[in-house]
Amino acid sequence: MPAETMIAPGFADPVFQSQAAFRALLAALSEPGTLQSVAAEIAPPEGLATATATALLTLADYETPVWLPEALRSGPAGAWLRFHCAAALVGTPAEAAFAVIDGLADEPKLSTFNLGTDQFPDRSTTVIVQVPGLEGGPALTLAGPGILGSCNIAPQGLRPGFTDELRENGALYPLGVDVLLAHGESLIGLPRSTQVEEAR
Amino acid sequence: MTIHQMPADDTKPAYNYAYLDEQTKRMIRRALLKAVAVPGYQVPFGSREMPLARGWGTGGIQITAAIIGPADTLKVIDQGADDTTNAVSIRKFFERTADARTCEATDEATIIQTRHRIPEAPLKPGQVMVYQVPMPEPLRRLEPREAETRKMHAWAEYGLMQVKLYEDIARYGEITKTYDYPVKVNGRYVMAPSPIPKFDNPKMHMSPSLQLFGAGREKRIYALPPYTSVRSLDFEDHPFRIQSWKQPCGLCGAADSYLDEVVIDDQGGRMFVCSDSHYCETRRAEGHRGAMLGDAAASGLVEETTP
């Protein structure tokens, strides 16, 4: 079998690697704006950052439909997710429990994912946004639960208007998607409860 | 069972680290992430049968099992005490199933599982509180139907709760709820803080630690991220007040802690002692002496420590 069609391995030690990765995810979403590192030593498939792949290995399974961009879905990343997580890969953003999008891609907008319902806001999609860097970009100011006062983040490579999308998402509270910005082994959580503004 | 099928004495039991299987942990972890994203909202989850009866903390145990790892130090308290049956059993459960490091010192713990108290010592960033919750729905006694309470939360329709509190004032002159006192979280959801005394409610507000709530029988998980607003419901002319006592702790002399009333004889004698056993011991070790410490030490109830 040629090497490029082989499915890369997942966790070497699923119990403890997923536990450590989950604590990083929990910290990311409970303390928005803090840079969290998933130190799991895995070789992610092409198109997924280490943090993205680790988060999906930790959280996704046969109960959670996953949305990937078309190119990733039909490539090694799709095969890797099907094999390791047994997750269904769906083509409609609104059906997904988890989604991976590229920070610079125009589509899909955050509002096309599942926003939850007023009686079950927990059913919304968790969107992992892959960006080329989590520091050194234009500054955003965050406030809300998990943040003492306010804090700043500066992710790179977010599409124009993404801050407005985050603001509109936050205005739907308690509905809305929860966003994780991912690059390399690092993550920043932006749950729907966080208010995002461009820093002045 | 024939002899060769008998497990050897030193065989480890054949269950996963921290008892739960990985698929269950994933399900609980997903619920926890949604719970911290919507503070105070009760996320339904597939509560599992645990090797102890529902009502003994299975919700809290399942949360702890889903988050605990080799780097953690676990403290378990029951009504503030480290040495009561429920606390000892749960601590042993995690020592056995997760090789957990356990402790009694509040400041050494990374995970504190609790039944009905928040420790007196201030919590720190990075610590996780796990509450065992018998009844997660604050509106249940006012509206028995789940379909209705779910709509009330969806539409933030909390008038019924205010009416209940008002009726207390109209009848008794004050709000009579002394534990499980309802709170409003992040200005949106009314939440049951679990049956902690209302004395502990102010500690939840803007707490630096993450607080997770598990109700095993009722199959609900909810959460408070650090630095989240938690307001006890009240009225402008009847503001929220916590309990106070006329005397300090009989053993350590603390005037700022939650006190349990203990009947000590059949002549009507009683004493007030800290419900947080570790706090009381720490203070005694520091040399604080309550009025009844000598009597209690003489009858062997506590060890008198010399600083």
PDB file of all heavy atoms in Angstrom, chain B residues 64-75:
ATOM      1  N   THR B  64     -15.968  13.484  38.244  1.00  0.00           N
ATOM      2  CA  THR B  64     -14.579  13.318  38.677  1.00  0.00           C
ATOM      3  C   THR B  64     -13.889  12.244  37.845  1.00  0.00           C
ATOM      4  O   THR B  64     -12.739  12.418  37.413  1.00  0.00           O
ATOM      5  CB  THR B  64     -14.535  12.963  40.181  1.00  0.00           C
ATOM      6  OG1 THR B  64     -15.179  14.001  40.910  1.00  0.00           O
ATOM      7  CG2 THR B  64     -13.106  12.840  40.672  1.00  0.00           C
ATOM      8  N   ALA B  65     -14.583  11.141  37.573  1.00  0.00           N
ATOM      9  CA  ALA B  65     -13.975  10.056  36.788  1.00  0.00           C
ATOM     10  C   ALA B  65     -13.646  10.519  35.371  1.00  0.00           C
ATOM     11  O   ALA B  65     -12.675  10.060  34.770  1.00  0.00           O
ATOM     12  CB  ALA B  65     -14.922   8.856  36.744  1.00  0.00           C
ATOM     13  N   ALA B  66     -14.445  11.444  34.838  1.00  0.00           N
ATOM     14  CA  ALA B  66     -14.215  11.901  33.468  1.00  0.00           C
ATOM     15  C   ALA B  66     -13.093  12.923  33.385  1.00  0.00           C
ATOM     16  O   ALA B  66     -12.521  13.128  32.319  1.00  0.00           O
ATOM     17  CB  ALA B  66     -15.497  12.494  32.888  1.00  0.00           C
ATOM     18  N   ILE B  67     -12.764  13.599  34.500  1.00  0.00           N
ATOM     19  CA  ILE B  67     -11.734  14.641  34.425  1.00  0.00           C
ATOM     20  C   ILE B  67     -10.425  14.239  35.081  1.00  0.00           C
ATOM     21  O   ILE B  67      -9.382  14.791  34.752  1.00  0.00           O
ATOM     22  CB  ILE B  67     -12.216  15.990  35.023  1.00  0.00           C
ATOM     23  CG1 ILE B  67     -12.465  15.881  36.522  1.00  0.00           C
ATOM     24  CG2 ILE B  67     -13.466  16.479  34.332  1.00  0.00           C
ATOM     25  CD1 ILE B  67     -12.788  17.220  37.171  1.00  0.00           C
ATOM     26  N   ILE B  68     -10.436  13.257  35.995  1.00  0.00           N
ATOM     27  CA  ILE B  68      -9.239  12.995  36.810  1.00  0.00           C
ATOM     28  C   ILE B  68      -8.127  12.360  35.975  1.00  0.00           C
ATOM     29  O   ILE B  68      -8.391  11.610  35.033  1.00  0.00           O
ATOM     30  CB  ILE B  68      -9.592  12.113  38.040  1.00  0.00           C
ATOM     31  CG1 ILE B  68      -8.498  12.180  39.081  1.00  0.00           C
ATOM     32  CG2 ILE B  68      -9.865  10.666  37.608  1.00  0.00           C
ATOM     33  CD1 ILE B  68      -8.888  11.580  40.420  1.00  0.00           C
ATOM     34  N   GLY B  69      -6.893  12.715  36.291  1.00  0.00           N
ATOM     35  CA  GLY B  69      -5.721  12.144  35.625  1.00  0.00           C
ATOM     36  C   GLY B  69      -4.599  11.953  36.625  1.00  0.00           C
ATOM     37  O   GLY B  69      -4.740  12.314  37.799  1.00  0.00           O
ATOM     38  N   PRO B  70      -3.476  11.407  36.173  1.00  0.00           N
ATOM     39  CA  PRO B  70      -2.369  11.106  37.099  1.00  0.00           C
ATOM     40  C   PRO B  70      -1.803  12.349  37.781  1.00  0.00           C
ATOM     41  O   PRO B  70      -1.180  12.245  38.828  1.00  0.00           O
ATOM     42  CB  PRO B  70      -1.314  10.463  36.195  1.00  0.00           C
ATOM     43  CG  PRO B  70      -2.005  10.123  34.931  1.00  0.00           C
ATOM     44  CD  PRO B  70      -3.181  11.008  34.793  1.00  0.00           C
ATOM     45  N   ALA B  71      -2.002  13.548  37.185  1.00  0.00           N
ATOM     46  CA  ALA B  71      -1.422  14.757  37.770  1.00  0.00           C
ATOM     47  C   ALA B  71      -2.287  15.341  38.874  1.00  0.00           C
ATOM     48  O   ALA B  71      -1.908  16.321  39.507  1.00  0.00           O
ATOM     49  CB  ALA B  71      -1.212  15.805  36.674  1.00  0.00           C
ATOM     50  N   ASP B  72      -3.478  14.754  39.103  1.00  0.00           N
ATOM     51  CA  ASP B  72      -4.421  15.371  40.031  1.00  0.00           C
ATOM     52  C   ASP B  72      -4.258  14.886  41.462  1.00  0.00           C
ATOM     53  O   ASP B  72      -3.803  13.774  41.710  1.00  0.00           O
ATOM     54  CB  ASP B  72      -5.854  15.078  39.573  1.00  0.00           C
ATOM     55  CG  ASP B  72      -6.246  15.931  38.378  1.00  0.00           C
ATOM     56  OD1 ASP B  72      -6.024  17.150  38.445  1.00  0.00           O
ATOM     57  OD2 ASP B  72      -6.744  15.369  37.395  1.00  0.00           O
ATOM     58  N   THR B  73      -4.639  15.762  42.390  1.00  0.00           N
ATOM     59  CA  THR B  73      -4.760  15.398  43.795  1.00  0.00           C
ATOM     60  C   THR B  73      -6.211  15.641  44.191  1.00  0.00           C
ATOM     61  O   THR B  73      -6.738  16.719  43.956  1.00  0.00           O
ATOM     62  CB  THR B  73      -3.838  16.271  44.667  1.00  0.00           C
ATOM     63  OG1 THR B  73      -2.513  16.175  44.148  1.00  0.00           O
ATOM     64  CG2 THR B  73      -3.846  15.800  46.102  1.00  0.00           C
ATOM     65  N   LEU B  74      -6.840  14.624  44.762  1.00  0.00           N
ATOM     66  CA  LEU B  74      -8.281  14.663  45.011  1.00  0.00           C
ATOM     67  C   LEU B  74      -8.577  14.848  46.493  1.00  0.00           C
ATOM     68  O   LEU B  74      -7.983  14.190  47.345  1.00  0.00           O
ATOM     69  CB  LEU B  74      -8.913  13.352  44.513  1.00  0.00           C
ATOM     70  CG  LEU B  74     -10.406  13.168  44.724  1.00  0.00           C
ATOM     71  CD1 LEU B  74     -11.201  14.117  43.845  1.00  0.00           C
ATOM     72  CD2 LEU B  74     -10.815  11.727  44.423  1.00  0.00           C
ATOM     73  N   LYS B  75      -9.476  15.773  46.775  1.00  0.00           N
ATOM     74  CA  LYS B  75     -10.022  15.920  48.131  1.00  0.00           C
ATOM     75  C   LYS B  75     -11.510  15.671  48.038  1.00  0.00           C
ATOM     76  O   LYS B  75     -12.149  16.140  47.086  1.00  0.00           O
ATOM     77  CB  LYS B  75      -9.745  17.336  48.654  1.00  0.00           C
ATOM     78  CG  LYS B  75     -10.454  17.719  49.957  1.00  0.00           C
ATOM     79  CD  LYS B  75     -10.127  19.167  50.327  1.00  0.00           C
ATOM     80  CE  LYS B  75     -11.070  19.727  51.405  1.00  0.00           C
ATOM     81  NZ  LYS B  75     -10.643  19.410  52.771  1.00  0.00           N
TER      82      LYS B  75
END
